[in-house]
Amino acid sequence: MLATLAEPRFRQAQKVSFLGGEGVIQSYRPSNGTWTYLVEMFKGPEPAFGRLGQETMVLLYETELNG
């Protein structure tokens, strides 16, 4: 019998928090029986050495997020 994956708890553009910060869901996909989310962290003030690109994106499992 095939197990069905539950609907994702979070949606694109939803604000979420997690250990280490807060951000907005950019995308999500099923992975190993759960959902993984690409989250863009809120940017703080730009450091003196500048930004290096996509350093504010993190990939997190659903269990790591709070709405």
Side-chain angles (χ1 to χ4, degrees):
M1 177 180 215
L2 293 174
T4 59
L5 187 61
E7 290 290 316
R9 280 181 51 202
F10 306 102
R11 300 285 181 209
Q12 192 168 353
Q14 183 176 351
K15 293 179 183 178
V16 292
S17 62
F18 50 93
L19 184 62
E22 297 178 322
V24 175
I25 303 288
Q26 296 300 312
S27 64
Y28 56 92
R29 66 178 182 193
S31 176
N32 296 323
T34 188
W35 293 93
T36 57
Y37 297 82
L38 182 62
V39 179
E40 182 175 11
M41 294 177 66
F42 296 136
K43 293 180 182 176
E46 185 168 341
F49 53 83
R51 298 216 186 268
L52 302 174
Q54 297 287 342
E55 77 258 15
T56 61
M57 297 289 227
V58 292
L59 188 62
L60 299 168
Y61 289 108
E62 186 170 76
T63 55
E64 299 173 300
L65 298 173
N66 298 307

